[in-house]
Every structure is written in C-alpha cells, then in structure tokens.
Amino acid sequence: MASVSSDEWRTVCDKFTNAQNLTVVESRNDPENDPFRSKYKARELLREIHCSLKSFEAGEGEAERGGEEIGDQRPIEPPVDGQLEDGFGQGFSGDSPAGLRAAKLGAVEYYLGVNHVDTEELSAGQEHLMNCMKLLERCRVSSENVSLFIHVRNQLGILWAGRDETETAQGFLETAESIYQRYIKEDGSPPTDMAEYFTTEEKLLTHQERTKRFELAYTHTMYYLAQVYKNLGETERAATYCHSTLQRQLQLNQYSPMEWALNAATLSQYYITKGRYMEGRHCLSAATVISGLAGEVPSEAAAQESETESERREQLMQKRAEIARCWIKYCLNVLQDSKKLLEDSIGELDTDRQEELKRARRREEEEEEKGRKSALLFGSEDTFDSIVSLEEKVRCLLPLDFAEARAVFLVGQNYVTQAKEYFQMDGYVTDHIEILQDHSALFRALAFFEEDLERRCKMHKRRVDMLEPICNDLNSRYYLMIRRQMMFELAEIYNEMMDLKLTLANRQADTQSLDNHTIKKFNHLCSASAKYFQMFLDSLCSPEGKIPEHLEEEVLRPALVARFRLARLHSRLISSSPSVQLENLDKSLENYKYVVQYCEAHPEAKATVETELELSTEMVGLLPLKINRLKAKMTANN
Amino acid sequence: MAGASVKVAVRVRPFNSREIGKESKCIIQMSGNTTTIINPKQAKDNKSFNFDYSYWSHTSPEDINFASQLQVYKDIGEEMLLHAFEGYNVCIFAYGQTGAGKSYTMMGKQDVKDQQGIIPLLCEDLFTKFNDNADNSMSYSVEVSYMEIYCERVRDLLNPKNKGNLRVREHPLMGPYVEDLSKLAVTAYNDIQDLMDSGNKARTVAATNMNETSSRSHAVFNIIFTQKRYDAETDNTSEKVSKISLVDLAGSERADSTGAKGTRLKEGANINKSLTTLGKVISALAEKVESFIPYRDSVLTWLLRENLGGNSRTAMVAALSPADINYDETLSTLRPKCCVVHLCGLHQNKKCQALAKHTMFVSGISTLSVLFFLWYLMTKIKYRTSSPDLSLKLINYHCILKCQETEKIIAELNETWEEKLRRTEAIRMEREALLAEMGVAMREDGGTVGVFSPKKTPHLVNLNEDPLMSECLLYYIKDGITRLDTDIVLSGHFIKDEHCTFTSSTGPMGESERPLSCSTGLQFRTSVFNIDRQEVKPPNSLCFP
C-alpha cells in the first residue's frame, strides 16, 4: 500500500475530504430538480478512492489476493448477522497490514453504501454495505476497526427496517450492541474513527474526539433499537432503549438542554401510565433540572428589544410550563391509582385494605431502595445531586392516607400554578382549561382521602368555583367539546355535593325529617346538577333545538348516563307540594323512558349502559304506580 | 348528521404536456361517485374509493361526463356560501400533489370566462347576494386576511410591515386567531381580487428571496363577513359573523424526496436516522389517557380547529394527476380521503383512528400528518351548535377584560367601518410602495392585479411551476440602463451583487426597433427569466419591436 506520506496517498485523502464535504455540507444546497447532485459527485470521488486503494494493493504485489474478490458480482447472501463471536475470535488482527487494508476498503464500501441509500438506490447500497461486512468478517474486532463494525450495522439496520423486515434490522443492531459492549469490556481504548483512515498523520483525531464519535455511533444504535422494538410492539423494551439514549446523550454531553428535558418529560408520561412512578419521577426531576441549564428566561424588557430574545423567552417559558404539566399528570396519576387501590365497591375508603397496605409498606420501601440502585439513572456529576434532591420532594409510592395524599396534592397544585402562569386564559384557552380540569381532578382525588365530610364538600366547592364561570363564559361556537366536558363535570360535582349534604344531615338528625335550611340547600344542589346535565344534553341538539335521533359513539354513553342521572335527580327533589312532586316525577319518568326507548331503537347501545338500562327499565315499571298513588292522594285531598 | 358537515370531492385533470410527451396512460376511472385507480404495473390491481363527488375533468367539455369549473362551483361553492350566510364557519381545502390542479380548482384562470375557480366565483356570488338583497334593514361588511404558513411560521401576506413570525392564540370568545394579522376591509369583488393577487405577489417574492418552494407552504385566505340586521321596532342591531377559509394545502408529495433534510417522522416501520426525532419516537410510546405529551400541534391544525368543530361546514377537494407515473402519489392522495368518508359515514374505523392518533403530534410541513390530524379532530368533534349572540356577550365580557391582548381585539372590534377602510387603504399604499421599491411594476391605476402585459415596454416576468405564482411579478426595463440590483431588487442564493444590467436603447431603425442587451448571464434557480421566452446569454441583444 502506498505509504501514508506519499503524494498518491495525499490525493486520496483530499478526495475523501472533498467527498465528505459534498455529502454533509454541499448537499444541503442542492436544487429541488437535482436533489442529489452533490451526493453523486461524492460517489464519483469515493469510487476513485476505491480504485486507488485497489491499485496500491496490486502495486505492492505481495499483498494477499483477498481484497480483490470484493468487486466480484457475487450474489448477496441472505443477510444473517448472528454470529457475533466471529468478530472477536479469528481473522486478521486490526493493526496488521492486511487488517488495515480490509478496514480501509471496508470503509470506502461503507461510505458508498450510505451514499447509495441516501440517493434512494437501496439494493446497490445494500450490496456495498454487505461488501463492507464481508471485509470485516476476516478481521478481529480491535480499536482500529470497531467503529466501522458498529456503523455498518447501524446502516444495515436502517435499511432493513425501511423494507419492513424489522427482525433482520433487529439482528444487525443487536449484534452492534453486543460488539460495543464486548469491546468496552475487553479493550475500551478510544477507537479510530473511519474518517481517520483517510487523513494525513497530522490530522489524526484526539482521544477525546475519537471517544465522542464512537460513543455517538453507539447512541444511535440504542436509538435505532428503540424504534425497532417499538415497531415490533415491544413498548417496554422500546422505552428502555429511549431511556438509554437519553442517558447517553446526557453522559456524553451531546444534547441541547431544552430538547432533552422535553424528551425526558415525555418519557415520564410513558412510565406514569404504566404505573412506574419511580422511573416517571426520575425522568421528570431530570427534565426540570436539565431545563434549568437552558439558561435564564430573558426579561420582558429584553424581549421587547429584540425578536430573538422574545422568541427565546417564549420558548423557554412555554417548555418549562409544559414540563410542569407533565408533573401535574404525575401527581394526578399517583393519587388516582392510590384511590383505585383503596376504594370499596361504593367508592369509599376501604379501611381494612388501607391497614393491609400500610403493613406492606415497609417491604415496598425496601424495594424502592433496591429498584433505585438497579435503575437507569440520569445525571452527570454536577446535575446528579440536584436531580435527587428534586426527587425527594414528592414520593413515588402510592399515598395511603390523607396526610400522604395531601403532600402529593400540594406538589401538583404548585405545578398547576406554574403552568397557568404561561398558559393563561387569554391566548391559551384550551391549554388553560385542561390545566384547570387537572386541578379539579387533583381536588377530586384528594377529597377521597378526606374523612371530614364538611371539608370534603368544601373541596368540591373549590372545583365548582374554578370551572363554573369559565364554562358559562366560553363561546360554544369554538369550544364546544371542552364546554361539554365541563358541563358534565359540573353536573357530577353538584351531584356529589348533594349526596354529601344529605349524608351530613342524616348523621346530625336522628329522625328522617330534615330542617328547612337543609332542604333548601339540598334542592339547590340537586337542581344545579340537573341544570348542567340538561345543558350537556341540549348541546347535542341541532341549531333548531331538535334532539338527535342517533347519538354518536363518543357521546352515546355520556348522553344516556346524563338522562339517567337527570331522571334520578328529578325524583329526589324535595317538595311539600304534591303538584310539584307530580311534576318532578313526570320529568323523571320521561327521562327513564328515553333511556329505555333509545336502547330499544338502537340495540347496539345496550352494552354501553347495562346497569343504567336495567334500573331505568325497572323505574319505568314502578314510577307510574307511584305517580298514580300520588294522583289518587291529591284527588282525595281535594 | 355528522357526515353532512364534511363534503369530500376528487377531481382529475387532463394530461399536461410533460405527461403527453411521456405518452402517459390514464390510470383513473370514475363512475358516479366512485373513483378507481389502476396500478400501472399490475392492471388487475385496482382500488376504488367513494366520495361525495368525483369530478371527471380529464377530457374536454364535449365529453358529457366532463366536469367544468362551474359544475364544481355549483356543487361545492354554492352550498358552502349558503352555509356561510346561515352563520356557519366554512372551510374549503384543496389537497393533492403539486401540479395536480389544486390551484386551478381553487383559483382557475382569472381572466378567462368559464375558467374561474371556486374562490373567484364564490367571492363574486357573495357580493351579488349583498347587492340583490332588497331588505333595507340588512347591511353587510366584508373583511379579508391572507396568510402563509411555512415551516410552522405564519406570515401576513397582506401587510408588508408585518414581518416575521405571527403568533397563533386563542381567545375565550373569539376562538383561535392569529395575533396582529391584518384584516382588510373590502367593498367589492375587485377589492378581493386585488388583495388576493398582491398577496400572491408577496408570497412569490418571499418564496423567491428565501429560496423556498411554494409547494411546501400552506396558504389560507379568510373572508370574514358580518350580516347586520337593524330592528326598527326595538332599535336594536343584531350581528351574525361568518368566516370562509380557503386553504391551499402544501403539496402532498413526499416532503423528503430531496434527501435527508427533513426530520419528519416517517410512517410505517421506517427508522428515523436523526436523534432530533427522538421526542416523536418517545411520544408515540405513551398512552394519551391521563398523560400530557408536550408537543404542540401544527399551526394549521390549531388554527382550523374551529373549522372542524361546532358551527362549521367543510369541503375538501383532492386534485389528482391522471398519469401512470404519478401512481404512488395519486394513490396516497385518494387514501386518506377514503378515511374521511369512512370516518364520517360509518363513525368508526379503528385503524384510521389509530393512524390519526399516531400522527397527530407530528408537526412540521408534512401535509399528510396535518390531514390525519384534521380527521382525528373530525372524529372527535362532529357537532354543531347554535351560535350565541356574540355581540351581546362581548358587552358583558368587556367589564372584566384586563389583558392587553384582549384590548387589542376590542379596539379592532370598535373600529368603525370607515376607519377600517382607511387603514386598509394605508396598508395598500405601503404594500405597493414596497413592491415598487423592489421594481415590481404597477398598473396605471396603481393596482397590481393579474398579468397586464405591457405591449410596448420590455419587461421581465417571473415563471414558476406553480401557475398561481407564475407571471405574477413584473419588472419594467426602462430606457437606458436598468440594473438588476438597484432598480430591480432580487435577492437569493444565485443572485450576485450587481448581477447584471439591461440596456434598452433606440436602434438604427428608430422607435420601431429597440435592441435590448444584457450584460452578464442570468442565472436563476427557481424562476427563470426569459426575454420573450428566449433564453438570454451574455452578451446578447434582442430586437424588441
């Protein structure tokens, strides 16, 4: 081979630099009608380099003949990449002349392969990449060639995934993964980058730069594996690999803080929907800490001065508010999961269960400690402590009593305030309301743990206070869906409050009779609930006020449930006047009938409201009796 | 009925000269409302799709099945205009591969009778309806806005002072809106035509200067009209505001055909190479129930939400190329349409919903994902509601307004019609001054509309693949020397300082012959400047009779 200092070699190096420049820089400016102009130019240069390498080889005579077979038109063997032992077992050692020659030729084949893939010539690309694989097959993995070992498999992974052959892609990428791991274990020295094969001595990379490039290649392997597992439906594994990708970006300092933080926050949402709160909390804490590295939010004054500052201000504020919203969901899910675990069949706190869980708590705490040690943790030296201290502010174990629940609630509420600072009503209607709905849900979950019914009622009142004015002020022309959600929620809150008031009154008074004040209060809450159920139902009507004959799937259950609840509410209103009673009962019957008749006309609806339908059918049979009795009494009295 | 709120049409155009040159075969068949596409590689493999309308415009008007511009307007435009008068928000989308005839359907050829598209016909009808109305208690006012969304940035096409990125916001009463977007008052159809034309000019200038391609941007033209009814008995005025949005979506062809530039999340099993897409991969993992995914929807979908929910009526027109060479793109144009029909007609299609869910958080310029998102919304929001009296509510709300933003909107609302017209005029002057500064020629009355090819003066005209943008900028070459850097201002990647000069002088034959010379070669990438459609090579002189 031509000596590294010869002029011929220098020419090769220059060509390579040129080709790289064409591929990476120039190609961005290629015109629309000739999009691959620079890439084609680069391809020519790479081909010339390939020829030169071959001729150096021929010129030196004594070289093994092996390399020449490469150009042959051998049919491509089925891509199998499972025999990872090969790379470490036999073959040329990486620093032998034959090994170096194979690596150099392999690298050119690799660059040619990538070039063909980029220009949408997949099978030619595949051929070059497989040529590279074959050249490497004869070499042992060493610091001279390990980078190429990884890169070529990354590319083959992408190629096969693009052909919907996900398992084949998986094979290549998993081999890359194990080659990396074994190399790090057995050697670990900063490996040569492929670009260095074609640079003159003085331009060789520093150890630091070598490591950086090599590690980045492996980060990509992780990222590609994440996508492969996602496409294979192995979500959990995909999440683990996304996690590793993020962790590596942080460790190797190859990330932009805001983007990273947002990605970590998004990953937390995966974990919390899977109930893995420790991981979720870790992602969120890291997201908050790393987002802090993106710098101070420019002041309002600075933002008015320059457009870039104003945009930066906007971006930073928005993204931090979004991370806050991810935290809200964390707190909310923790509380709701805990509620699900502790509630009995009528939705009240199951104290036996509570005791049982509290006894199991100690074991859980130990497990948490163990889990933390084995989990993939984020953080570089300077951020690790801040992440841990942020984690300590909220528990990741499900709360088991009011005090614990309140601690989680307060953290969530704090993030609600933060998020609302950016997502204000004016300008961010939908976002603002979604945050309010979460706030209301936090209260709802907390109320479950509150034993004092009076205070529980006050919590529900807080929910009403935050939702009611907005629901009424919002223009339904633009915010129909969100208004419907709020109407339904308000109806349910009033219903809940009504039940609480009744329980309280019954506790206080031994007799069945309620005092006037309580009756008034009760009726008020009852009609408020009915009003919002009715508003919800009205919102389904046409502009002319016609009730739709057919209910859409996504409102089917809510609409029938609203009818059913409305029927119940009307029958519960307390009145001393028989004529008012009669009126209420008629309305009640009418709504029960609607549920029954709708389900008769649309049998497919039955399954969605089984319990409600059963009760409604019963009531349709019973209520007329009650009404008749009342009528009889009225005539008798008259 | 939900299906009634969205109408979907497809339309196939004749072969263009390139396709004729390549002896293309027509792969589209239509029968009734059904459109069938034949796989040119496997003739047996044909797929059929049902639409509200299938327009056969592949042949000429002699064919009885031929669908003319007027027929398309009568089916879609008239109905939509009627809905607008009833107070609905109306939106018409055009969608399809670049060059498939989107612009022809929407705009058509301005000056040729029978060739005008939906937009001009609809605008004309709008004003005819106003004028025909004999009811004295009714009065109307119309305002328009025109914006472009390129790479998630919103640009005001009607006000040159409004540079840069406009913010999209939501108001509790007014719904989603673009902050600072100019709304100009118009009194006649000609005004709309003028504004649209100058907007197109602004779009073309920007596209040429920024080295962008129009086919990658969405254009949204809004017509907002207010119907006021004065009730003499109660001395009350009631208002009904309607909005018509005409949306020219970016070309649906693959956005990444130029290589690895895009970081778009690819559909299917593809692997995204760049780590910049990590967030999108992660967000696809999380379930959307009880979680928050911090990725914003794209500007367009955000803005048009109101056009899909509540009080709205939507029409979509998919433009198709008939040629076999475009099979893949045409099929993909048809497919999502099929979803809409499916979703609206049958109320559920799990696969489609999953697809919509999958793509709903993809922002960027991928038209497909935008469309999927729109459909996703449609499956969720399919209900209309009666419109509350907006003006009445505003008065109540006025008391509790503190925010600066809201004040801006209120100021806008309180602005009288005369003030609006004056402001419109001022913006028009600024716009024209700006265009004039760049050397773009004006008609004598100051209007900039259409191609008014001056017969006697030599001039430059821009050409563009997009017929809407072609020939819409005109630069005069005056007597003597015209410099392409100070007299005619063009900027762009391929324009050098002192790029070239044109010399126009009287030739030996006197006024009847004016040789025109050009100093250096003209090199333009996206727009080729021709002199009388002959390429100019330096040094060159042309006789210009």
Side-chain angles (χ1 to χ4, degrees), chain A residues 69-87:
Chain A
E69 287 166 27
I70 303 312
D72 292 357
Q73 293 295 315
R74 274 196 303 183
I76 288 163
E77 281 155 32
V80 183
D81 196 49
Q83 311 121 325
L84 36 138
E85 291 311 311
D86 282 11

Side-chain angles (χ1 to χ4, degrees), chain A residues 27-32 35-36 118 120 155 157-158 161-162 164 173 216 220 223-224 227-228 230-231 235 238-239 242 245-246 249 259 262-263 266-267 269-270 273-274 310-311 314 318 322 325-326 329 332-333 336 423 425-431 472-481 484 541-543 552-555, chain B residues 2 87-89 153 164-165 167 169-176 213 216 241-242 254 257-259 261 268-279 281-287 289-296 302 305-306 310-311 347-348 358 379-388 390 393 397 400 403 406 493 525:
Chain A
S27 63
R28 287 193 203 143
N29 301 323
D30 284 344
E32 198 97 340
F36 300 135
D118 282 352
E120 296 174 1
Q155 290 298 329
I158 294 172
D164 276 347
L173 294 167
L216 187 61
H220 278 94
Y223 178 47
Y224 299 157
Q227 297 181 64
V228 160
K230 191 194 96 198
N231 292 339
T235 321
C242 284
T245 309
L246 284 169
Q249 286 183 313
E259 191 186 315
L262 225 52
N263 288 344
T266 312
L267 187 59
Q269 302 298 293
Y270 164 78
T273 50
K274 291 277 177 266
S310 132
E311 206 155 293
E314 177 73 22
Q318 180 189 322
E322 281 171 345
R325 288 183 70 179
C326 291
K329 291 290 186 189
L332 188 55
N333 275 273
Q336 283 175 343
F423 292 113
M425 187 65 170
D426 266 292
Y428 300 94
V429 177
T430 314
D431 292 288
N472 292 330
D473 275 349
L474 217 56
N475 188 344
S476 59
R477 177 163 181 174
Y478 304 122
Y479 305 103
L480 183 64
M481 287 304 285
R484 276 188 195 158
C541 295
S542 72
E552 299 292 331
E553 198 196 359
E554 60 274 32
V555 291
Chain B
Y88 288 104
N89 293 319
R153 292 176 159 261
N165 196 4
R167 243 186 249 162
R169 302 170 65 92
E170 276 178 328
H171 187 274
L173 290 175
M174 314 293 292
T213 315
R216 297 279 174 78
V241 184
S242 313
R254 288 180 304 163
S257 67
T258 50
K261 285 175 189 167
N270 278 334
I271 286 185
N272 284 281
K273 276 189 180 181
S274 162
L275 281 164
T276 52
T277 52
L278 177 60
V281 173
I282 296 176
S283 61
L285 297 176
E287 286 164 31
V289 189
E290 285 302 333
S291 69
F292 174 73
I293 308 296
Y295 288 92
R296 306 267 97 194
W302 217 62
R305 266 203 289 220
E306 61 173 298
N311 208 353
H347 315 298
Q348 67 177 118
H358 182 72
T379 60
K380 296 188 81 176
I381 317 162
K382 286 193 259 188
Y383 304 91
R384 59 181 125 106
T385 174
S386 52
S387 73
L390 202 67
K393 267 212 147 166
Y397 203 70
I400 49 166
C403 181
T406 319
H493 193 63
R525 219 159 54 100

Side-chain angles (χ1 to χ4, degrees), chain A residues 112-282:
Chain A
L112 277 168
V114 174
N115 181 288
H116 281 86
V117 171
D118 282 352
T119 53
E120 296 174 1
E121 294 168 51
L122 293 192
S123 41
Q126 182 194 345
E127 204 174 318
H128 284 293
L129 292 172
M130 287 316 282
N131 286 344
C132 172
M133 288 282 284
K134 279 197 211 91
L135 283 159
L136 289 177
E137 247 167 47
R138 306 179 208 166
C139 305
R140 277 203 299 275
V141 173
S142 72
S143 72
E144 283 79 16
N145 57 25
V146 65
S147 189
L148 187 57
F149 266 91
I150 307 278
H151 270 104
V152 71
R153 283 171 174 83
N154 279 352
Q155 290 298 329
L156 282 162
I158 294 172
L159 184 96
W160 284 101
R163 290 174 172 167
D164 276 347
E165 303 240 5
T166 315
E167 279 88 356
T168 314
Q170 182 189 0
F172 283 111
L173 294 167
E174 283 177 351
T175 316
E177 185 184 18
S178 58
I179 290 174
Y180 169 88
Q181 276 164 353
R182 196 162 162 192
Y183 176 79
I184 289 295
K185 216 167 89 193
E186 293 178 5
D187 186 328
S189 60
T192 316
D193 188 67
M194 296 107 68
E196 284 185 273
Y197 295 156
F198 308 103
T199 44
T200 45
E201 199 106 4
E202 61 269 23
K203 284 187 188 160
L204 289 178
L205 300 172
T206 61
H207 282 261
Q208 213 184 351
E209 180 63 23
R210 281 185 175 180
T211 308
K212 195 179 136 194
R213 292 195 187 184
F214 180 59
E215 296 293 344
L216 187 61
Y218 183 62
T219 306
H220 278 94
T221 310
M222 296 281 99
Y223 178 47
Y224 299 157
L225 273 170
Q227 297 181 64
V228 160
Y229 292 137
K230 191 194 96 198
N231 292 339
L232 289 170
E234 297 181 38
T235 321
E236 201 179 326
R237 244 172 139 183
T240 309
Y241 278 84
C242 284
H243 198 128
S244 304
T245 309
L246 284 169
Q247 192 199 25
R248 293 181 56 81
Q249 286 183 313
L250 201 60
Q251 228 167 36
L252 302 161
N253 205 16
Q254 291 164 335
Y255 66 99
S256 87
M258 254 320 166
E259 191 186 315
W260 192 94
L262 225 52
N263 288 344
T266 312
L267 187 59
S268 78
Q269 302 298 293
Y270 164 78
Y271 284 127
I272 65 166
T273 50
K274 291 277 177 266
R276 290 166 61 180
Y277 293 111
M278 190 181 73
E279 287 90 344
R281 182 183 65 176
H282 186 62

Side-chain angles (χ1 to χ4, degrees), chain A residues 426-442:
Chain A
D426 266 292
Y428 300 94
V429 177
T430 314
D431 292 288
H432 185 86
I433 293 172
E434 277 168 9
I435 296 167
L436 287 183
Q437 286 174 320
D438 281 350
H439 195 183
S440 162
L442 282 170

Side-chain angles (χ1 to χ4, degrees), chain B residues 90-138:
Chain B
V90 164
C91 186
I92 305 178
F93 286 100
Y95 163 63
Q97 193 186 352
T98 305
K102 271 181 300 171
S103 301
Y104 179 74
T105 299
M106 292 298 268
M107 290 297 296
K109 286 185 186 152
Q110 289 277 15
D111 305 329
V112 190
K113 209 179 153 20
D114 301 336
Q115 301 256 334
Q116 291 189 319
I118 296 176
I119 295 176
L121 290 172
L122 187 141
C123 294
E124 231 177 318
D125 244 16
L126 180 71
F127 282 99
T128 316
K129 283 210 161 70
F130 291 164
N131 298 336
D132 287 355
N133 199 318
D135 187 350
N136 275 334
S137 65
M138 293 293 286

Side-chain angles (χ1 to χ4, degrees), chain A residues 87-111:
Chain A
F88 286 90
Q90 68 269 359
F92 309 131
S93 77
D95 56 352
S96 71
L100 271 178
R101 194 159 47 240
K104 280 182 185 175
L105 266 176
V108 180
E109 292 283 5
Y110 166 80
Y111 284 115

